[in-house]
Amino acid sequence: MKLIFAFLIIFLPKILYAQIFEINIKIIDPENKILDNSNWVLKTFNRTVGQEVKHIYNATIENKQARFKDTIGESEVAMLSLEFGSQFLSYKIVIDPHAKYEITLDMSNKKFNITSNSISDHLLRYFFEGLDSLNKLKDDRIVLHKKFIAANESILADSALKLVDHFKIDIRNLRKSIASKNPDNIISAYILTKNFDYDLEEQKIYENLTDEIKSTSYGIALKESIDGYVRNLKPEKQTEISNQDLIPILGNTLSGDKILLNEEYFKKSNNKLTLVEFWASWCAPCKESLKELYSFYYLNKSKNFNVVLVSLDEDMASWKKASLAENYPWLNISDGKGHLSVIPKNYKINAIPANILVDDKGKIISRNITDLDLIKQLLDK
């Protein structure tokens, strides 16, 4: 007990210090718009749909200055705000444990300037600067479109309008670029939670985030968003036979042999049903699905059931390493092009795991089956 007490005396101050953040605010206010005893408010939010307030910090203004000094458990994107009269000013900031911030508010133009030792906040500033640039570019394109319309240049006007419509893609690509290059920063998870849907590239970016970032409230919220999106893509029950034509899939085996999955391939296979499972070595949910599929396969292979794996990896070495480590007993192919491959485009795959169920005539009879009992029902007919 004495040893534990001594440990706490020595190390507890250091532990607490590691959680302290400090924000010093100075206001340049020659017209004296901001009065003493006005209150700065700093709010963090729960990562939920409603974005409820999680914590509120307060700092009182004296002589045009204010100071926050408090503790925080993990990095948080927060809103710094000030009400004066009927007006309201706000500023988004990342507060990190052990970080210090110097903020200047110039009331003449209501502009904030910030310096800090927070890498997360620097990355957030970089993201906002990118958004500002893209917004300016969008505005310029709209002006250009209006000029072409006025000049009756319909073809050029349409071209300019297409560039305006590309704005959302530009923002999405900005988020992807920042998040993929900063897997150990909370801002990566934060900016990706702003999406309403997710593609294969964003799924991979999430999987590559560090465990520390995945365990933050933003990382947890991002995973919940991605999982929810994937669930919505996958009908839990799909009993209708669709009988759709198969689009040929070309890839290489682990040994380098080319394989073409087309109607002829499945006709010659002598299998009643084949589940073509789309996966990738970086996709944790895919590996879980394959574990479940493994036992189902061996219980039903005697009924002429088979599985083919189609990898959406672009890193062939990672694909081979994961495949050999798991020793999957099925044909396993990849074209090595990842989300840029024609395979996900042809089959409209926005997220994985995904699959198609193919009959002995080479026709697709069902998609994205998550309940393997549905396959068993078809096999037992």
mmCIF file with all atom_site columns, all heavy atoms in Angstrom, residues 124-146:
data_model
loop_
_atom_site.group_PDB
_atom_site.id
_atom_site.type_symbol
_atom_site.label_atom_id
_atom_site.label_alt_id
_atom_site.label_comp_id
_atom_site.label_asym_id
_atom_site.label_entity_id
_atom_site.label_seq_id
_atom_site.pdbx_PDB_ins_code
_atom_site.Cartn_x
_atom_site.Cartn_y
_atom_site.Cartn_z
_atom_site.occupancy
_atom_site.B_iso_or_equiv
_atom_site.pdbx_formal_charge
_atom_site.auth_seq_id
_atom_site.auth_comp_id
_atom_site.auth_asym_id
_atom_site.auth_atom_id
_atom_site.pdbx_PDB_model_num
ATOM 1   N N   . LEU A 1 124 ? -6.226  21.007 -38.780 1.00 0.00 ? 124 LEU A N   1
ATOM 2   C CA  . LEU A 1 124 ? -7.576  21.547 -38.990 1.00 0.00 ? 124 LEU A CA  1
ATOM 3   C C   . LEU A 1 124 ? -7.509  22.855 -39.768 1.00 0.00 ? 124 LEU A C   1
ATOM 4   O O   . LEU A 1 124 ? -8.320  23.099 -40.668 1.00 0.00 ? 124 LEU A O   1
ATOM 5   C CB  . LEU A 1 124 ? -8.270  21.765 -37.653 1.00 0.00 ? 124 LEU A CB  1
ATOM 6   C CG  . LEU A 1 124 ? -9.724  22.247 -37.727 1.00 0.00 ? 124 LEU A CG  1
ATOM 7   C CD1 . LEU A 1 124 ? -10.617 21.198 -38.372 1.00 0.00 ? 124 LEU A CD1 1
ATOM 8   C CD2 . LEU A 1 124 ? -10.254 22.615 -36.344 1.00 0.00 ? 124 LEU A CD2 1
ATOM 9   N N   . ARG A 1 125 ? -6.541  23.731 -39.433 1.00 0.00 ? 125 ARG A N   1
ATOM 10  C CA  . ARG A 1 125 ? -6.371  24.992 -40.189 1.00 0.00 ? 125 ARG A CA  1
ATOM 11  C C   . ARG A 1 125 ? -6.081  24.694 -41.666 1.00 0.00 ? 125 ARG A C   1
ATOM 12  O O   . ARG A 1 125 ? -6.612  25.349 -42.560 1.00 0.00 ? 125 ARG A O   1
ATOM 13  C CB  . ARG A 1 125 ? -5.203  25.818 -39.646 1.00 0.00 ? 125 ARG A CB  1
ATOM 14  C CG  . ARG A 1 125 ? -5.230  26.219 -38.213 1.00 0.00 ? 125 ARG A CG  1
ATOM 15  C CD  . ARG A 1 125 ? -6.350  27.165 -37.857 1.00 0.00 ? 125 ARG A CD  1
ATOM 16  N NE  . ARG A 1 125 ? -6.975  26.673 -36.639 1.00 0.00 ? 125 ARG A NE  1
ATOM 17  C CZ  . ARG A 1 125 ? -8.264  26.604 -36.434 1.00 0.00 ? 125 ARG A CZ  1
ATOM 18  N NH1 . ARG A 1 125 ? -9.091  27.017 -37.352 1.00 0.00 ? 125 ARG A NH1 1
ATOM 19  N NH2 . ARG A 1 125 ? -8.763  26.135 -35.320 1.00 0.00 ? 125 ARG A NH2 1
ATOM 20  N N   . TYR A 1 126 ? -5.238  23.703 -41.898 1.00 0.00 ? 126 TYR A N   1
ATOM 21  C CA  . TYR A 1 126 ? -4.884  23.324 -43.273 1.00 0.00 ? 126 TYR A CA  1
ATOM 22  C C   . TYR A 1 126 ? -6.138  22.858 -44.025 1.00 0.00 ? 126 TYR A C   1
ATOM 23  O O   . TYR A 1 126 ? -6.351  23.222 -45.192 1.00 0.00 ? 126 TYR A O   1
ATOM 24  C CB  . TYR A 1 126 ? -3.843  22.205 -43.236 1.00 0.00 ? 126 TYR A CB  1
ATOM 25  C CG  . TYR A 1 126 ? -3.443  21.672 -44.586 1.00 0.00 ? 126 TYR A CG  1
ATOM 26  C CD1 . TYR A 1 126 ? -2.559  22.377 -45.405 1.00 0.00 ? 126 TYR A CD1 1
ATOM 27  C CD2 . TYR A 1 126 ? -3.951  20.460 -45.044 1.00 0.00 ? 126 TYR A CD2 1
ATOM 28  C CE1 . TYR A 1 126 ? -2.191  21.885 -46.651 1.00 0.00 ? 126 TYR A CE1 1
ATOM 29  C CE2 . TYR A 1 126 ? -3.595  19.960 -46.280 1.00 0.00 ? 126 TYR A CE2 1
ATOM 30  C CZ  . TYR A 1 126 ? -2.716  20.683 -47.083 1.00 0.00 ? 126 TYR A CZ  1
ATOM 31  O OH  . TYR A 1 126 ? -2.360  20.188 -48.311 1.00 0.00 ? 126 TYR A OH  1
ATOM 32  N N   . PHE A 1 127 ? -6.978  22.080 -43.359 1.00 0.00 ? 127 PHE A N   1
ATOM 33  C CA  . PHE A 1 127 ? -8.223  21.608 -43.973 1.00 0.00 ? 127 PHE A CA  1
ATOM 34  C C   . PHE A 1 127 ? -9.142  22.779 -44.308 1.00 0.00 ? 127 PHE A C   1
ATOM 35  O O   . PHE A 1 127 ? -9.691  22.865 -45.412 1.00 0.00 ? 127 PHE A O   1
ATOM 36  C CB  . PHE A 1 127 ? -8.923  20.633 -43.030 1.00 0.00 ? 127 PHE A CB  1
ATOM 37  C CG  . PHE A 1 127 ? -10.290 20.212 -43.482 1.00 0.00 ? 127 PHE A CG  1
ATOM 38  C CD1 . PHE A 1 127 ? -10.463 19.512 -44.666 1.00 0.00 ? 127 PHE A CD1 1
ATOM 39  C CD2 . PHE A 1 127 ? -11.415 20.516 -42.725 1.00 0.00 ? 127 PHE A CD2 1
ATOM 40  C CE1 . PHE A 1 127 ? -11.726 19.112 -45.089 1.00 0.00 ? 127 PHE A CE1 1
ATOM 41  C CE2 . PHE A 1 127 ? -12.681 20.126 -43.134 1.00 0.00 ? 127 PHE A CE2 1
ATOM 42  C CZ  . PHE A 1 127 ? -12.836 19.430 -44.320 1.00 0.00 ? 127 PHE A CZ  1
ATOM 43  N N   . PHE A 1 128 ? -9.282  23.710 -43.379 1.00 0.00 ? 128 PHE A N   1
ATOM 44  C CA  . PHE A 1 128 ? -10.144 24.869 -43.616 1.00 0.00 ? 128 PHE A CA  1
ATOM 45  C C   . PHE A 1 128 ? -9.608  25.753 -44.745 1.00 0.00 ? 128 PHE A C   1
ATOM 46  O O   . PHE A 1 128 ? -10.378 26.303 -45.533 1.00 0.00 ? 128 PHE A O   1
ATOM 47  C CB  . PHE A 1 128 ? -10.301 25.684 -42.340 1.00 0.00 ? 128 PHE A CB  1
ATOM 48  C CG  . PHE A 1 128 ? -11.203 25.056 -41.311 1.00 0.00 ? 128 PHE A CG  1
ATOM 49  C CD1 . PHE A 1 128 ? -11.054 25.335 -39.966 1.00 0.00 ? 128 PHE A CD1 1
ATOM 50  C CD2 . PHE A 1 128 ? -12.208 24.183 -41.698 1.00 0.00 ? 128 PHE A CD2 1
ATOM 51  C CE1 . PHE A 1 128 ? -11.886 24.753 -39.020 1.00 0.00 ? 128 PHE A CE1 1
ATOM 52  C CE2 . PHE A 1 128 ? -13.045 23.591 -40.765 1.00 0.00 ? 128 PHE A CE2 1
ATOM 53  C CZ  . PHE A 1 128 ? -12.887 23.877 -39.424 1.00 0.00 ? 128 PHE A CZ  1
ATOM 54  N N   . GLU A 1 129 ? -8.298  25.892 -44.813 1.00 0.00 ? 129 GLU A N   1
ATOM 55  C CA  . GLU A 1 129 ? -7.706  26.663 -45.914 1.00 0.00 ? 129 GLU A CA  1
ATOM 56  C C   . GLU A 1 129 ? -8.016  26.001 -47.254 1.00 0.00 ? 129 GLU A C   1
ATOM 57  O O   . GLU A 1 129 ? -8.309  26.684 -48.245 1.00 0.00 ? 129 GLU A O   1
ATOM 58  C CB  . GLU A 1 129 ? -6.197  26.766 -45.720 1.00 0.00 ? 129 GLU A CB  1
ATOM 59  C CG  . GLU A 1 129 ? -5.778  27.706 -44.591 1.00 0.00 ? 129 GLU A CG  1
ATOM 60  C CD  . GLU A 1 129 ? -4.296  27.602 -44.263 1.00 0.00 ? 129 GLU A CD  1
ATOM 61  O OE1 . GLU A 1 129 ? -3.587  26.863 -44.976 1.00 0.00 ? 129 GLU A OE1 1
ATOM 62  O OE2 . GLU A 1 129 ? -3.865  28.236 -43.285 1.00 0.00 ? 129 GLU A OE2 1
ATOM 63  N N   . GLY A 1 130 ? -7.966  24.663 -47.273 1.00 0.00 ? 130 GLY A N   1
ATOM 64  C CA  . GLY A 1 130 ? -8.327  23.941 -48.493 1.00 0.00 ? 130 GLY A CA  1
ATOM 65  C C   . GLY A 1 130 ? -9.780  24.155 -48.867 1.00 0.00 ? 130 GLY A C   1
ATOM 66  O O   . GLY A 1 130 ? -10.110 24.358 -50.040 1.00 0.00 ? 130 GLY A O   1
ATOM 67  N N   . LEU A 1 131 ? -10.673 24.141 -47.866 1.00 0.00 ? 131 LEU A N   1
ATOM 68  C CA  . LEU A 1 131 ? -12.090 24.402 -48.122 1.00 0.00 ? 131 LEU A CA  1
ATOM 69  C C   . LEU A 1 131 ? -12.297 25.812 -48.671 1.00 0.00 ? 131 LEU A C   1
ATOM 70  O O   . LEU A 1 131 ? -13.089 26.017 -49.604 1.00 0.00 ? 131 LEU A O   1
ATOM 71  C CB  . LEU A 1 131 ? -12.901 24.236 -46.837 1.00 0.00 ? 131 LEU A CB  1
ATOM 72  C CG  . LEU A 1 131 ? -13.131 22.822 -46.313 1.00 0.00 ? 131 LEU A CG  1
ATOM 73  C CD1 . LEU A 1 131 ? -13.988 22.860 -45.048 1.00 0.00 ? 131 LEU A CD1 1
ATOM 74  C CD2 . LEU A 1 131 ? -13.789 21.938 -47.362 1.00 0.00 ? 131 LEU A CD2 1
ATOM 75  N N   . ASP A 1 132 ? -11.594 26.779 -48.089 1.00 0.00 ? 132 ASP A N   1
ATOM 76  C CA  . ASP A 1 132 ? -11.717 28.166 -48.559 1.00 0.00 ? 132 ASP A CA  1
ATOM 77  C C   . ASP A 1 132 ? -11.291 28.282 -50.019 1.00 0.00 ? 132 ASP A C   1
ATOM 78  O O   . ASP A 1 132 ? -11.943 28.966 -50.824 1.00 0.00 ? 132 ASP A O   1
ATOM 79  C CB  . ASP A 1 132 ? -10.870 29.097 -47.687 1.00 0.00 ? 132 ASP A CB  1
ATOM 80  C CG  . ASP A 1 132 ? -11.464 29.291 -46.294 1.00 0.00 ? 132 ASP A CG  1
ATOM 81  O OD1 . ASP A 1 132 ? -12.654 28.979 -46.119 1.00 0.00 ? 132 ASP A OD1 1
ATOM 82  O OD2 . ASP A 1 132 ? -10.725 29.742 -45.399 1.00 0.00 ? 132 ASP A OD2 1
ATOM 83  N N   . SER A 1 133 ? -10.202 27.615 -50.362 1.00 0.00 ? 133 SER A N   1
ATOM 84  C CA  . SER A 1 133 ? -9.705  27.659 -51.747 1.00 0.00 ? 133 SER A CA  1
ATOM 85  C C   . SER A 1 133 ? -10.710 27.029 -52.706 1.00 0.00 ? 133 SER A C   1
ATOM 86  O O   . SER A 1 133 ? -10.966 27.560 -53.797 1.00 0.00 ? 133 SER A O   1
ATOM 87  C CB  . SER A 1 133 ? -8.365  26.925 -51.849 1.00 0.00 ? 133 SER A CB  1
ATOM 88  O OG  . SER A 1 133 ? -7.383  27.577 -51.087 1.00 0.00 ? 133 SER A OG  1
ATOM 89  N N   . LEU A 1 134 ? -11.291 25.903 -52.291 1.00 0.00 ? 134 LEU A N   1
ATOM 90  C CA  . LEU A 1 134 ? -12.264 25.234 -53.152 1.00 0.00 ? 134 LEU A CA  1
ATOM 91  C C   . LEU A 1 134 ? -13.540 26.055 -53.296 1.00 0.00 ? 134 LEU A C   1
ATOM 92  O O   . LEU A 1 134 ? -14.136 26.108 -54.373 1.00 0.00 ? 134 LEU A O   1
ATOM 93  C CB  . LEU A 1 134 ? -12.597 23.850 -52.589 1.00 0.00 ? 134 LEU A CB  1
ATOM 94  C CG  . LEU A 1 134 ? -11.477 22.807 -52.692 1.00 0.00 ? 134 LEU A CG  1
ATOM 95  C CD1 . LEU A 1 134 ? -11.881 21.518 -51.992 1.00 0.00 ? 134 LEU A CD1 1
ATOM 96  C CD2 . LEU A 1 134 ? -11.132 22.522 -54.156 1.00 0.00 ? 134 LEU A CD2 1
ATOM 97  N N   . ASN A 1 135 ? -13.957 26.713 -52.215 1.00 0.00 ? 135 ASN A N   1
ATOM 98  C CA  . ASN A 1 135 ? -15.137 27.575 -52.294 1.00 0.00 ? 135 ASN A CA  1
ATOM 99  C C   . ASN A 1 135 ? -14.907 28.750 -53.231 1.00 0.00 ? 135 ASN A C   1
ATOM 100 O O   . ASN A 1 135 ? -15.797 29.132 -53.999 1.00 0.00 ? 135 ASN A O   1
ATOM 101 C CB  . ASN A 1 135 ? -15.503 28.081 -50.895 1.00 0.00 ? 135 ASN A CB  1
ATOM 102 C CG  . ASN A 1 135 ? -16.382 27.102 -50.135 1.00 0.00 ? 135 ASN A CG  1
ATOM 103 O OD1 . ASN A 1 135 ? -17.463 26.745 -50.581 1.00 0.00 ? 135 ASN A OD1 1
ATOM 104 N ND2 . ASN A 1 135 ? -15.902 26.649 -48.993 1.00 0.00 ? 135 ASN A ND2 1
ATOM 105 N N   . LYS A 1 136 ? -13.703 29.315 -53.174 1.00 0.00 ? 136 LYS A N   1
ATOM 106 C CA  . LYS A 1 136 ? -13.371 30.425 -54.084 1.00 0.00 ? 136 LYS A CA  1
ATOM 107 C C   . LYS A 1 136 ? -13.374 29.937 -55.535 1.00 0.00 ? 136 LYS A C   1
ATOM 108 O O   . LYS A 1 136 ? -13.875 30.622 -56.436 1.00 0.00 ? 136 LYS A O   1
ATOM 109 C CB  . LYS A 1 136 ? -12.011 31.022 -53.743 1.00 0.00 ? 136 LYS A CB  1
ATOM 110 C CG  . LYS A 1 136 ? -11.653 32.241 -54.584 1.00 0.00 ? 136 LYS A CG  1
ATOM 111 C CD  . LYS A 1 136 ? -10.303 32.801 -54.197 1.00 0.00 ? 136 LYS A CD  1
ATOM 112 C CE  . LYS A 1 136 ? -9.993  34.072 -55.004 1.00 0.00 ? 136 LYS A CE  1
ATOM 113 N NZ  . LYS A 1 136 ? -10.084 33.859 -56.460 1.00 0.00 ? 136 LYS A NZ  1
ATOM 114 N N   . LEU A 1 137 ? -12.824 28.746 -55.740 1.00 0.00 ? 137 LEU A N   1
ATOM 115 C CA  . LEU A 1 137 ? -12.802 28.177 -57.079 1.00 0.00 ? 137 LEU A CA  1
ATOM 116 C C   . LEU A 1 137 ? -14.219 27.932 -57.586 1.00 0.00 ? 137 LEU A C   1
ATOM 117 O O   . LEU A 1 137 ? -14.532 28.199 -58.758 1.00 0.00 ? 137 LEU A O   1
ATOM 118 C CB  . LEU A 1 137 ? -12.012 26.858 -57.061 1.00 0.00 ? 137 LEU A CB  1
ATOM 119 C CG  . LEU A 1 137 ? -11.719 26.194 -58.403 1.00 0.00 ? 137 LEU A CG  1
ATOM 120 C CD1 . LEU A 1 137 ? -10.912 27.116 -59.305 1.00 0.00 ? 137 LEU A CD1 1
ATOM 121 C CD2 . LEU A 1 137 ? -10.980 24.877 -58.190 1.00 0.00 ? 137 LEU A CD2 1
ATOM 122 N N   . LYS A 1 138 ? -15.079 27.457 -56.703 1.00 0.00 ? 138 LYS A N   1
ATOM 123 C CA  . LYS A 1 138 ? -16.475 27.239 -57.075 1.00 0.00 ? 138 LYS A CA  1
ATOM 124 C C   . LYS A 1 138 ? -17.137 28.560 -57.466 1.00 0.00 ? 138 LYS A C   1
ATOM 125 O O   . LYS A 1 138 ? -17.850 28.637 -58.481 1.00 0.00 ? 138 LYS A O   1
ATOM 126 C CB  . LYS A 1 138 ? -17.232 26.597 -55.910 1.00 0.00 ? 138 LYS A CB  1
ATOM 127 C CG  . LYS A 1 138 ? -18.708 26.369 -56.190 1.00 0.00 ? 138 LYS A CG  1
ATOM 128 C CD  . LYS A 1 138 ? -19.418 25.853 -54.947 1.00 0.00 ? 138 LYS A CD  1
ATOM 129 C CE  . LYS A 1 138 ? -20.911 25.684 -55.200 1.00 0.00 ? 138 LYS A CE  1
ATOM 130 N NZ  . LYS A 1 138 ? -21.630 25.259 -53.980 1.00 0.00 ? 138 LYS A NZ  1
ATOM 131 N N   . ASP A 1 139 ? -16.920 29.596 -56.674 1.00 0.00 ? 139 ASP A N   1
ATOM 132 C CA  . ASP A 1 139 ? -17.494 30.907 -56.973 1.00 0.00 ? 139 ASP A CA  1
ATOM 133 C C   . ASP A 1 139 ? -16.997 31.432 -58.322 1.00 0.00 ? 139 ASP A C   1
ATOM 134 O O   . ASP A 1 139 ? -17.772 32.001 -59.111 1.00 0.00 ? 139 ASP A O   1
ATOM 135 C CB  . ASP A 1 139 ? -17.135 31.907 -55.870 1.00 0.00 ? 139 ASP A CB  1
ATOM 136 C CG  . ASP A 1 139 ? -17.831 31.597 -54.553 1.00 0.00 ? 139 ASP A CG  1
ATOM 137 O OD1 . ASP A 1 139 ? -18.815 30.835 -54.575 1.00 0.00 ? 139 ASP A OD1 1
ATOM 138 O OD2 . ASP A 1 139 ? -17.374 32.102 -53.505 1.00 0.00 ? 139 ASP A OD2 1
ATOM 139 N N   . ASP A 1 140 ? -15.708 31.252 -58.590 1.00 0.00 ? 140 ASP A N   1
ATOM 140 C CA  . ASP A 1 140 ? -15.135 31.686 -59.875 1.00 0.00 ? 140 ASP A CA  1
ATOM 141 C C   . ASP A 1 140 ? -15.790 30.945 -61.040 1.00 0.00 ? 140 ASP A C   1
ATOM 142 O O   . ASP A 1 140 ? -16.044 31.531 -62.100 1.00 0.00 ? 140 ASP A O   1
ATOM 143 C CB  . ASP A 1 140 ? -13.624 31.444 -59.886 1.00 0.00 ? 140 ASP A CB  1
ATOM 144 C CG  . ASP A 1 140 ? -12.869 32.363 -58.934 1.00 0.00 ? 140 ASP A CG  1
ATOM 145 O OD1 . ASP A 1 140 ? -13.454 33.383 -58.508 1.00 0.00 ? 140 ASP A OD1 1
ATOM 146 O OD2 . ASP A 1 140 ? -11.703 32.059 -58.613 1.00 0.00 ? 140 ASP A OD2 1
ATOM 147 N N   . ARG A 1 141 ? -16.052 29.651 -60.834 1.00 0.00 ? 141 ARG A N   1
ATOM 148 C CA  . ARG A 1 141 ? -16.676 28.862 -61.894 1.00 0.00 ? 141 ARG A CA  1
ATOM 149 C C   . ARG A 1 141 ? -18.120 29.297 -62.138 1.00 0.00 ? 141 ARG A C   1
ATOM 150 O O   . ARG A 1 141 ? -18.592 29.291 -63.285 1.00 0.00 ? 141 ARG A O   1
ATOM 151 C CB  . ARG A 1 141 ? -16.629 27.375 -61.516 1.00 0.00 ? 141 ARG A CB  1
ATOM 152 C CG  . ARG A 1 141 ? -15.223 26.784 -61.577 1.00 0.00 ? 141 ARG A CG  1
ATOM 153 C CD  . ARG A 1 141 ? -15.159 25.420 -60.926 1.00 0.00 ? 141 ARG A CD  1
ATOM 154 N NE  . ARG A 1 141 ? -13.856 24.800 -61.100 1.00 0.00 ? 141 ARG A NE  1
ATOM 155 C CZ  . ARG A 1 141 ? -13.486 23.657 -60.510 1.00 0.00 ? 141 ARG A CZ  1
ATOM 156 N NH1 . ARG A 1 141 ? -14.331 23.032 -59.707 1.00 0.00 ? 141 ARG A NH1 1
ATOM 157 N NH2 . ARG A 1 141 ? -12.279 23.154 -60.724 1.00 0.00 ? 141 ARG A NH2 1
ATOM 158 N N   . ILE A 1 142 ? -18.813 29.671 -61.074 1.00 0.00 ? 142 ILE A N   1
ATOM 159 C CA  . ILE A 1 142 ? -20.190 30.160 -61.227 1.00 0.00 ? 142 ILE A CA  1
ATOM 160 C C   . ILE A 1 142 ? -20.204 31.471 -62.007 1.00 0.00 ? 142 ILE A C   1
ATOM 161 O O   . ILE A 1 142 ? -21.059 31.687 -62.878 1.00 0.00 ? 142 ILE A O   1
ATOM 162 C CB  . ILE A 1 142 ? -20.848 30.334 -59.840 1.00 0.00 ? 142 ILE A CB  1
ATOM 163 C CG1 . ILE A 1 142 ? -21.089 28.960 -59.200 1.00 0.00 ? 142 ILE A CG1 1
ATOM 164 C CG2 . ILE A 1 142 ? -22.163 31.105 -59.954 1.00 0.00 ? 142 ILE A CG2 1
ATOM 165 C CD1 . ILE A 1 142 ? -21.608 29.027 -57.778 1.00 0.00 ? 142 ILE A CD1 1
ATOM 166 N N   . VAL A 1 143 ? -19.255 32.356 -61.691 1.00 0.00 ? 143 VAL A N   1
ATOM 167 C CA  . VAL A 1 143 ? -19.137 33.617 -62.431 1.00 0.00 ? 143 VAL A CA  1
ATOM 168 C C   . VAL A 1 143 ? -18.879 33.330 -63.905 1.00 0.00 ? 143 VAL A C   1
ATOM 169 O O   . VAL A 1 143 ? -19.472 33.956 -64.803 1.00 0.00 ? 143 VAL A O   1
ATOM 170 C CB  . VAL A 1 143 ? -18.001 34.485 -61.845 1.00 0.00 ? 143 VAL A CB  1
ATOM 171 C CG1 . VAL A 1 143 ? -17.705 35.673 -62.768 1.00 0.00 ? 143 VAL A CG1 1
ATOM 172 C CG2 . VAL A 1 143 ? -18.371 34.979 -60.450 1.00 0.00 ? 143 VAL A CG2 1
ATOM 173 N N   . LEU A 1 144 ? -18.001 32.366 -64.159 1.00 0.00 ? 144 LEU A N   1
ATOM 174 C CA  . LEU A 1 144 ? -17.684 31.993 -65.538 1.00 0.00 ? 144 LEU A CA  1
ATOM 175 C C   . LEU A 1 144 ? -18.918 31.441 -66.246 1.00 0.00 ? 144 LEU A C   1
ATOM 176 O O   . LEU A 1 144 ? -19.187 31.775 -67.414 1.00 0.00 ? 144 LEU A O   1
ATOM 177 C CB  . LEU A 1 144 ? -16.565 30.941 -65.528 1.00 0.00 ? 144 LEU A CB  1
ATOM 178 C CG  . LEU A 1 144 ? -15.876 30.639 -66.857 1.00 0.00 ? 144 LEU A CG  1
ATOM 179 C CD1 . LEU A 1 144 ? -15.183 31.892 -67.407 1.00 0.00 ? 144 LEU A CD1 1
ATOM 180 C CD2 . LEU A 1 144 ? -14.858 29.519 -66.681 1.00 0.00 ? 144 LEU A CD2 1
ATOM 181 N N   . HIS A 1 145 ? -19.671 30.633 -65.547 1.00 0.00 ? 145 HIS A N   1
ATOM 182 C CA  . HIS A 1 145 ? -20.886 30.070 -66.123 1.00 0.00 ? 145 HIS A CA  1
ATOM 183 C C   . HIS A 1 145 ? -21.872 31.172 -66.508 1.00 0.00 ? 145 HIS A C   1
ATOM 184 O O   . HIS A 1 145 ? -22.471 31.156 -67.594 1.00 0.00 ? 145 HIS A O   1
ATOM 185 C CB  . HIS A 1 145 ? -21.538 29.112 -65.114 1.00 0.00 ? 145 HIS A CB  1
ATOM 186 C CG  . HIS A 1 145 ? -22.855 28.564 -65.576 1.00 0.00 ? 145 HIS A CG  1
ATOM 187 N ND1 . HIS A 1 145 ? -24.067 29.060 -65.137 1.00 0.00 ? 145 HIS A ND1 1
ATOM 188 C CD2 . HIS A 1 145 ? -23.147 27.561 -66.452 1.00 0.00 ? 145 HIS A CD2 1
ATOM 189 C CE1 . HIS A 1 145 ? -25.037 28.396 -65.714 1.00 0.00 ? 145 HIS A CE1 1
ATOM 190 N NE2 . HIS A 1 145 ? -24.520 27.475 -66.513 1.00 0.00 ? 145 HIS A NE2 1
ATOM 191 N N   . LYS A 1 146 ? -22.031 32.160 -65.632 1.00 0.00 ? 146 LYS A N   1
ATOM 192 C CA  . LYS A 1 146 ? -22.948 33.266 -65.906 1.00 0.00 ? 146 LYS A CA  1
ATOM 193 C C   . LYS A 1 146 ? -22.496 34.074 -67.130 1.00 0.00 ? 146 LYS A C   1
ATOM 194 O O   . LYS A 1 146 ? -23.325 34.517 -67.938 1.00 0.00 ? 146 LYS A O   1
ATOM 195 C CB  . LYS A 1 146 ? -23.047 34.173 -64.681 1.00 0.00 ? 146 LYS A CB  1
ATOM 196 C CG  . LYS A 1 146 ? -23.787 33.540 -63.515 1.00 0.00 ? 146 LYS A CG  1
ATOM 197 C CD  . LYS A 1 146 ? -23.818 34.465 -62.307 1.00 0.00 ? 146 LYS A CD  1
ATOM 198 C CE  . LYS A 1 146 ? -24.596 33.838 -61.151 1.00 0.00 ? 146 LYS A CE  1
ATOM 199 N NZ  . LYS A 1 146 ? -24.591 34.710 -59.949 1.00 0.00 ? 146 LYS A NZ  1
#
